[in-house]
Amino acid sequence: MKLKPTGLHWPAIIGTLLFSFLVMLFISTSSPLYTVNSSPDANIMMTVGKGLLHNLLPYRDLFDNRGPLIYLLYSLAALVSYHSFIFIYVFESILLFFDLILGYLILRQFIIARLAYPLTLFMLPLMFNEYFFQHGDTPESIAIPFLLLMIYQLLKHQDLKFTKLTLYSQGLFVGIAFWIKYTFLFPWFGVGLVLMSAYFLEKRFADFFKLIGFGLLGYLTVTVPIIIFYHLHHSLATMLKVYFLFNVKYYQHSNFDLTQFVKLPQIDPVSMWVEGLVVVMVLTIILLPRVIWTIKAALLVSLSLETLSIITVKVTATYYYTLISVFSILILVLLGIVLQKILPKLAIENPFLICLLVVLSAYGMLTLNQNYRYSSMFPHNAVYSLDHHQTTPYQERFAKIINRSSDRSLLVYRTIDVSMYTTLGTLPQSKYFVKNNLDYQPMINSQKEQLKSLKNKFVVTISLPPTNDSAMTRKSLKRLQNKTLRRHYHLVDTATVLKYTSFVYQYPLKYYLYERND
């Protein structure tokens, strides 16, 4: 397929960069528009990343189960700002810039620039809606440009003749993705499997070994320094055990079950929408014109493996679907081809059509991602307080109380990180500083022992609001009857807020701040 000039000029590039910063300002809770980043995952990653700056190693000294590279990123974020996520906001904006540029380049393989520009904007509602992007700041969002680049390279090299630099760079990106979250490997594994099979069947053994050799070299460029670093700090075995074994053995959604394709949509409306989207993407790949069947097979296998790796393990966290949504760029390609073919030239060149597409994409974005409702622009929002009287996030209120004391030691008890360590700018005093989503009894036991030790001046814990009369509510309230809390701590503040993940997943929670009786 003969490539067309991209049509990218400096004004368009700079405009896209500024636009990316503007979009992230509203949809990412890492942006300055949000007083507190409400993403539990982001706060855990920030706390562990800060620990690296103080010689506290992930897994060994501060427990979490994500990939080691993610903590390096947050160490850099902590160097820029110890109390905010401004670095992450800038990083996410730059990633979105590359996402849009790569999406545009993919579209330009098939359609004219005048259509490619507005259609690129539809990536925002498709990939950055509340269900997939959620609060932002997810490992999945980091991998989006890597996957888009892989799709672009496949469509660009339909003769299957990849340069050494292309193969090396893809191996490099696989290494980065793998050590952020190892399940990200599946899309590249699918493509590699199809390409190696094609080379082998066509007896292109030079290309076969070039793919393996330079891809592996790129992967090792990332992997070897990580292995050496943890080996030198005598924690390689711990890192490998937690990152691989614990995620398989103790993570809540780690049981492979093909029946989830039928069961999950019955309890999760988002998964039903995703499965429908996957069907559309499969048909789109099959129908794409001017794409050879080897490339189509690579895309189909890549999409299938990514879908299987998520839906079959009972995923309920909808941001896991992010990498599936990346393949929706191909739906935009097919839509662009159809519009270009059925509309007369005068209609395509009419500014009204371009404006209409821009307005539709903007409407889709504002409709499908309304994180901005919980920003500082709306200080009476339910994430701050369900009674709407408070205009300050509870984290700042709790921090103000804690900062009055000379002892600011804190235990976040029986719950995930709620941004207290970030707001305070302190580090935990123990390895299991929060309870994350692992069914790991030593973590639960350690939290109990920390509470009994009375080493922490303050304790933050959680329950469902007492107004909710249910078995789950009663169970959560029972934790507050802990003897240590009742005898040695007193309640100093509470906050009932909305736990907001998306339109589908939102529910009230009540947070409690206790202070030790000294």
Side-chain angles (χ1 to χ4, degrees):
M1 180 171 58
K2 187 178 179 181
L3 300 180
K4 304 173 183 179
T6 63
L8 275 176
H9 305 290
W10 278 112
I13 292 172
I14 295 171
T16 303
L17 181 62
L18 295 175
F19 176 73
S20 300
F21 274 85
L22 179 64
V23 169
M24 280 298 166
L25 185 67
F26 290 97
I27 70 171
S28 173
T29 54
S30 295
S31 90
L33 206 58
Y34 296 81
T35 308
V36 170
N37 190 335
S38 56
S39 167
D41 290 350
N43 282 285
I44 290 175
M45 293 183 290
M46 176 66 90
T47 300
V48 178
K50 286 177 181 176
L52 265 175
L53 301 179
H54 298 272
N55 298 317
L56 297 174
L57 281 186
Y59 318 108
R60 187 191 71 185
D61 302 316
L62 292 176
F63 183 83
D64 194 37
N65 58 316
R66 293 167 180 82
L69 278 184
I70 203 76
Y71 306 122
L72 178 61
L73 173 66
Y74 280 84
S75 292
L76 295 173
L79 282 173
V80 174
S81 175
Y82 213 70
H83 295 271
S84 77
F85 290 79
I86 187 65
F87 177 87
I88 300 298
Y89 161 65
V90 172
F91 181 70
E92 285 186 302
S93 301
I94 294 171
L95 285 179
L96 178 58
F97 165 73
F98 284 113
D99 294 338
L100 293 173
I101 292 296
L102 286 166
Y104 170 79
L105 291 175
I106 290 170
L107 285 161
R108 281 294 287 126
Q109 302 294 313
F110 299 89
I111 61 177
I112 61 173
R114 196 171 185 84
L115 271 179
Y117 278 126
L119 284 176
T120 301
L121 298 179
F122 280 88
M123 292 172 61
L124 297 174
L126 284 170
M127 301 178 197
F128 295 89
N129 54 67
E130 283 185 13
Y131 309 109
F132 301 154
F133 192 66
Q134 292 194 354
H135 304 288
D137 213 0
T138 63
E140 280 75 7
S141 63
I142 297 173
I144 291 175
F146 301 157
L147 191 51
L148 283 170
L149 182 60
M150 182 192 75
I151 294 171
Y152 171 69
Q153 294 288 2
L154 281 174
L155 296 173
K156 182 180 178 182
H157 299 282
Q158 295 208 42
D159 56 1
L160 305 185
K161 292 180 180 178
F162 301 96
T163 66
K164 295 174 182 178
L165 180 61
T166 296
L167 296 174
Y168 174 79
S169 62
Q170 283 298 319
L172 195 72
F173 295 141
V174 168
I176 294 171
F178 181 81
W179 290 107
I180 289 175
K181 192 171 185 178
Y182 64 83
T183 54
F184 291 171
L185 183 67
F186 286 105
W188 282 272
F189 179 77
V191 169
L193 193 64
V194 171
L195 290 180
M196 286 191 294
S197 299
Y199 288 148
F200 188 81
L201 291 173
E202 295 174 15
K203 298 182 180 181
R204 294 169 58 175
F205 298 116
D207 289 327
F208 179 89
F209 289 111
K210 186 170 75 170
L211 171 66
I212 295 174
F214 283 93
L216 185 61
L217 182 62
Y219 173 79
L220 291 176
T221 302
V222 178
T223 300
V224 170
I226 293 172
I227 299 298
I228 291 173
F229 175 81
Y230 280 92
H231 175 71
L232 291 176
H233 287 83
H234 309 290
S235 59
L236 178 60
T238 302
M239 183 271 284
L240 296 175
K241 181 180 178 182
V242 173
Y243 186 42
F244 295 107
L245 178 62
F246 277 40
N247 276 309
V248 172
K249 188 175 181 180
Y250 299 111
Y251 195 58
Q252 293 176 351
H253 316 293
S254 58
N255 299 317
F256 183 82
D257 183 3
L258 279 172
T259 63
Q260 289 304 309
F261 277 103
V262 177
K263 293 178 181 177
L264 203 56
Q266 297 174 12
I267 59 173
D268 178 15
V270 177
S271 69
M272 180 171 60
W273 184 77
V274 169
E275 288 186 17
L277 182 64
V278 169
V279 172
V280 174
M281 288 189 288
V282 168
L283 293 174
T284 297
I285 294 170
I286 293 171
L287 294 173
L288 272 180
R290 309 199 306 271
V291 178
I292 65 171
W293 273 102
T294 302
I295 299 298
K296 289 184 178 182
L299 292 169
L300 288 169
V301 173
S302 179
L303 172 61
S304 300
L305 288 180
E306 179 61 20
T307 304
L308 283 168
S309 73
I310 296 172
I311 292 181
T312 57
V313 293
K314 307 179 185 179
V315 164
T316 54
T318 56
Y319 63 83
Y320 283 18
Y321 299 129
T322 301
L323 294 191
I324 293 177
S325 74
V326 174
F327 289 89
S328 64
I329 187 65
L330 300 171
I331 297 176
L332 298 179
V333 168
L334 189 60
L335 175 62
I337 292 171
V338 171
L339 287 175
Q340 189 169 271
K341 191 168 184 177
I342 65 173
L343 293 176
K345 186 178 179 182
L346 286 176
I348 292 175
E349 292 178 353
N350 192 322
F352 175 78
L353 174 65
I354 308 304
C355 291
L356 177 63
L357 291 173
V358 170
V359 168
L360 286 175
S361 64
Y363 176 76
M365 187 68 216
L366 292 172
T367 303
L368 293 175
N369 193 318
Q370 296 186 9
N371 285 343
Y372 56 85
R373 293 182 301 164
Y374 303 103
S375 70
S376 56
M377 293 191 303
F378 302 94
H380 293 280
N381 68 72
V383 170
Y384 287 2
S385 175
L386 272 176
D387 63 14
H388 300 292
H389 295 314
Q390 290 286 348
T391 58
T392 302
Y394 72 90
Q395 294 94 333
E396 290 194 343
R397 284 170 28 220
F398 287 8
K400 188 175 181 180
I401 295 170
I402 294 171
N403 283 329
R404 292 175 190 156
S405 172
S406 57
D407 181 0
R408 300 194 303 156
S409 56
L410 172 70
L411 171 64
V412 177
Y413 181 64
R414 298 297 293 267
T415 183
I416 51 181
D417 199 331
V418 292
S419 192
M420 286 307 305
Y421 294 113
T422 304
T423 305
L424 285 167
T426 59
L427 284 172
Q429 294 189 332
S430 60
K431 177 178 179 178
Y432 299 104
F433 61 99
V434 293
K435 182 187 179 299
N436 60 20
N437 295 322
L438 291 177
D439 295 324
Y440 185 52
Q441 194 60 41
M443 173 176 57
I444 298 171
N445 294 340
S446 173
Q447 285 234 312
K448 290 179 180 178
E449 290 303 316
Q450 289 175 61
L451 185 63
K452 289 179 181 178
S453 72
L454 304 180
K455 290 180 180 178
N456 295 282
K457 174 73 172 175
F458 295 92
V459 175
V460 170
T461 190
I462 192 175
S463 80
L464 291 169
T467 51
N468 260 349
D469 188 20
S470 66
M472 190 176 292
T473 300
R474 290 191 291 272
K475 184 179 179 181
S476 70
L477 288 171
K478 189 176 180 180
R479 296 174 185 168
L480 300 179
Q481 303 304 313
N482 181 287
K483 290 181 180 179
T484 305
L485 274 179
R486 287 191 288 115
R487 292 178 182 176
H488 301 283
Y489 288 85
H490 62 278
L491 185 66
V492 291
D493 201 359
T494 63
T496 304
V497 301
L498 181 71
K499 169 65 175 175
Y500 184 85
T501 303
S502 67
F503 301 117
V504 179
Y505 302 105
Q506 49 181 307
Y507 48 89
L509 288 173
K510 188 168 184 177
Y511 291 94
Y512 304 80
L513 175 64
Y514 287 89
E515 184 177 1
R516 191 176 61 217
N517 301 325
D518 289 340

